[in-house]
């Protein structure tokens, strides 16, 4: 039975990024279907409030955010690495741009183009979730501008591939390719009629190459079963190199961790470890017992609990 459990739903671009990485690494994994809007009653006991998609679970360890997920996947399955040679710095920088700016180009174009088909529950949920940033009426009004931004940024991908390289940093795929992939996937899948990249042959060929990695070998798992797996497991012993706690924080302190951009619901727990890239807190819930919840340091706020 595979250890990796991905809590996800089919239309989630960030989940697609991780599914494709699982495919690239050739892994067996369990897929738990979660709702795309709140409430998410079988996810909250695991995360303690983090509601974004995807979340990865391994026993009683829960990994929030695709960059935290990939760090753990790399640790466990380093062979087909996403960070070959000295690509780590540049790949993570491109990834950070793609996951925020480029992703929101795609969100604006897709939601604005499909505005009349977006159900009310999704509209309202995303408005609340994003603190007003994902405003589908505004996306509809500003569609010309949003499409021009998407196209401008898509051409950056085309330019990156201009010398005939197969992937944006050379001959093998890196984290940068997977982060650039999911916004393109969202646009190509949801609004193919726009032909947003039709005059970008290198981008289209790269997209096909990336798509061919597939999703590995997923097996569906019931959400309640995932909770039982956490309940039956113990949180892993954490050995983080180069501990780095902000002044005034100590291991064992009551803290909260929250995203700094959108979906900012804080998760409360006891600080287990932190370094420049990673935060781990321990929390418990009757449905899962004790769990470690892992976050990236970049893009997250660590605070003392009130
Ligand atoms: N920084 C996060 C972003 C995740 C994200 O924004 N996911 C979207 C779906 S693709 C989301 O959470 N939407 C609301 C939801 O699923 O509840 C990551 O890298 O995982």
């Amino acid at each position: 039975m595979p250890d990796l459990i991905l809590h996800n739903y089919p239309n989630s671009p960030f989940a697609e990024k991780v599914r494709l990485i699982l495919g690239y690494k050739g892994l067996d994994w369990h897929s738990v279907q979660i709702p795309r809007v709140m409430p998410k009653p079988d996810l909250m006991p695991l995360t303690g409030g983090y509601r974004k998609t995807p979340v990865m679970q391994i026993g009683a360890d829960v990994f929030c955010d695709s960059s935290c997920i990939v760090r753990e996947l790399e640790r466990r399955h380093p062979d087909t690495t996403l960070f070959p040679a000295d690509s780590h710095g540049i790949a993570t920088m491109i990834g950070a741009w793609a996951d925020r700016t480029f992703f929101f180009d795609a969100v604006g174009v897709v939601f604005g183009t499909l505005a009349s088909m977006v159900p009310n529950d999704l509209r309202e949920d995303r408005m609340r979730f994003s603190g007003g940033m994902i405003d589908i009426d505004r996306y509809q009004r500003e569609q010309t501008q949003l499409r021009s931004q998407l196209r401008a940024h898509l051409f950056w991908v085309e330019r990156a591939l201009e010398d005939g390289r197969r992937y944006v940093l050379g001959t093998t795929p890196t984290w940068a390719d997977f982060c650039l992939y999911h916004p393109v996937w969202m646009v190509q899948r949801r609004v193919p009629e726009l032909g947003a990249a039709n005059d970008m042959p290198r981008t289209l060929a790269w997209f096909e190459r990336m798509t061919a990695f597939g999703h590995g070998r997923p097996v569906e798992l019931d959400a309640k079963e995932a909770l039982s797996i956490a309940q039956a497991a113990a949180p892993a012993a954490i050995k983080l190199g180069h501990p780095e706690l902000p002044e005034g924080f100590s291991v064992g302190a009551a803290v909260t961790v929250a995203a700094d951009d959108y979906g900012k619901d804080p998760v409360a727990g006891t600080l287990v470890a932190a370094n420049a890239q990673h935060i781990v807190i321990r929390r418990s819930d009757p449905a899962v017992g004790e769990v470690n919840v892992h976050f990236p340091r970049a893009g997250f706020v660590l605070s003392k609990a009130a």
Side-chain angles (χ1 to χ4, degrees):
M1 179 154 121
D3 292 341
L4 300 178
I5 303 173
L6 191 71
H7 298 257
N8 70 123
Y9 56 85
N11 272 345
S12 159
F14 278 93
E16 181 63 12
K17 167 167 63 164
V18 174
R19 291 187 292 254
L20 204 65
I21 290 170
L22 294 167
Y24 180 57
K25 286 183 174 286
L27 298 179
D28 293 297
W29 54 285
H30 271 135
S31 176
V32 172
Q33 298 296 323
I34 58 171
R36 63 182 180 173
V37 297
M38 291 297 271
K40 304 190 185 194
D42 295 326
L43 184 66
M44 293 303 108
L46 287 163
T47 65
Y50 181 86
R51 60 146 302 178
K52 290 185 186 176
T53 311
V55 166
M56 184 172 81
Q57 174 194 349
I58 300 175
D61 281 69
V62 178
F63 299 85
C64 300
D65 195 286
S66 58
S67 60
C68 189
I69 293 172
V70 79
R71 191 173 311 118
E72 183 64 14
L73 290 177
E74 284 283 306
R75 200 177 69 77
R76 287 171 179 259
H77 305 281
D79 289 349
T80 327
T81 181
L82 270 60
F83 301 101
D86 51 3
S87 66
H88 196 283
I90 194 71
T92 47
M93 286 183 225
I94 295 171
W97 172 80
D99 279 356
R100 293 204 177 186
T101 306
F102 195 36
F103 171 63
F104 274 99
D105 290 341
V107 168
V109 168
V110 168
F111 274 133
T113 304
L114 302 178
S116 61
M117 278 142 38
V118 179
N120 276 340
D121 66 336
L122 186 58
R123 252 172 203 269
E124 285 158 15
D125 178 89
R126 291 303 188 263
M127 186 74 129
R128 253 195 322 276
F129 166 65
S130 65
M133 183 172 59
I134 303 178
D135 175 346
I136 292 170
D137 292 331
R138 178 175 66 78
Y139 285 156
Q140 198 171 20
R141 283 195 308 277
E142 296 177 0
Q143 201 44 218
T144 306
Q145 165 63 10
L146 292 167
R147 286 184 192 178
S148 74
Q149 291 309 297
L150 173 71
R151 294 263 304 156
H153 292 148
L154 270 171
F155 267 114
W156 293 2
V157 179
E158 185 71 4
R159 293 297 296 272
L161 298 165
E162 204 169 51
D163 64 1
R165 61 184 60 203
R166 290 175 66 76
Y167 300 100
V168 293
L169 294 180
T171 51
T172 50
T174 68
W175 170 244
D177 293 281
F178 291 91
C179 294
L180 292 166
Y181 178 84
H182 70 92
V184 182
W185 175 83
M186 184 180 190
V187 170
Q188 294 294 84
R189 176 178 154 106
R190 304 299 301 282
V191 288
E193 67 281 7
L194 292 185
N198 274 2
D199 52 353
M200 302 180 204
R202 293 192 189 286
T203 304
L204 290 177
W206 162 86
F207 182 73
E208 292 304 318
R209 272 197 291 282
M210 294 291 294
T211 305
F213 292 134
H215 291 163
R217 291 172 298 276
V219 175
E220 290 297 319
L221 181 74
D222 182 74
K224 297 275 190 275
E225 183 64 22
L227 296 178
S228 308
I229 289 172
Q231 181 76 260
I238 302 295
K239 286 188 251 76
L240 277 191
H242 309 290
E244 193 174 312
L245 298 181
E247 214 176 305
F249 284 76
S250 53
V251 166
V255 296
T256 62
V257 181
D260 71 359
D261 49 2
Y262 56 94
K264 296 180 182 178
D265 317 77
V267 180
T270 303
L271 188 57
V272 173
N275 65 15
Q277 300 298 332
H278 200 109
I279 303 171
V280 189
I281 66 173
R282 174 79 50 89
R283 46 175 303 283
S284 67
D285 183 285
V288 294
E290 292 224 302
V291 290
N292 281 338
V293 190
H294 302 246
F295 300 92
R297 193 72 179 260
F300 282 78
V301 182
L302 173 65
S303 309
K304 290 182 185 169

